[in-house]
Amino acid sequence: MRRRPKTSNWNQTAQENGANIVSVNDFAQAVDAITSGRADVTLNDKLAVLDYLKQKPDADVQIAAKSEISPAAAFPIRKGEDDLVKALNDALAKLQEDGTLKKLSVKYFGEDVSVKQ
């Protein structure tokens, strides 16, 4: 079994565009690789970037480009757990409807990430 390096979920996109991959454990380490000169750029999920910038608003990094591709978040659930899937979907719909997801998004990410933009 071939092990994938510890990188963002944008690893394949980076490689397809000629990048040499620097393995890191998380976005904070990716930023450290950039600021220390070990890497030039990182491709990451919007939530990772927003979370980092919310925690470190004075970070010495900038967003150079945004992708129109927006991968959806998912909750992996064992096959056959139809009742659990329904309960989860119902709960998420209720939280979306009453504005809770938006409030949590703004609180933790600085913007509403609960809807596709």
Side-chain angles (χ1 to χ4, degrees):
M1 176 170 74
R2 183 175 171 206
R3 295 184 67 186
R4 290 182 50 187
K6 296 177 184 177
T7 63
S8 81
N9 54 353
W10 291 92
N11 182 4
Q12 183 175 351
T13 301
Q15 287 183 343
E16 288 170 357
N17 286 280
N20 293 318
I21 305 299
V22 176
S23 293
V24 295
N25 290 322
D26 57 28
F27 185 71
Q29 286 185 359
V31 171
D32 182 55
I34 292 169
T35 58
S36 69
R38 292 183 296 120
D40 296 321
V41 67
T42 183
L43 297 163
N44 283 89
D45 179 85
K46 180 179 182 177
L47 295 181
V49 175
L50 290 175
D51 178 55
Y52 182 85
L53 293 176
K54 178 87 169 153
Q55 294 179 44
K56 298 182 183 236
D58 297 326
D60 191 23
V61 293
Q62 66 181 8
I63 298 171
K66 295 180 181 181
S67 173
E68 296 299 318
I69 301 168
S70 179
F75 295 94
I77 298 173
R78 190 173 26 250
K79 286 184 178 182
E81 297 285 346
D82 297 337
D83 291 341
L84 178 58
V85 171
K86 182 179 180 341
L88 183 58
N89 285 336
D90 290 347
L92 287 170
K94 181 179 177 184
L95 293 170
Q96 182 71 45
E97 185 178 304
D98 72 10
T100 300
L101 290 181
K102 180 178 181 176
K103 288 177 191 172
L104 290 170
S105 292
V106 172
K107 178 179 179 178
Y108 291 104
F109 299 108
E111 65 181 71
D112 185 4
V113 296
S114 69
V115 293
K116 192 170 186 172
Q117 297 178 358

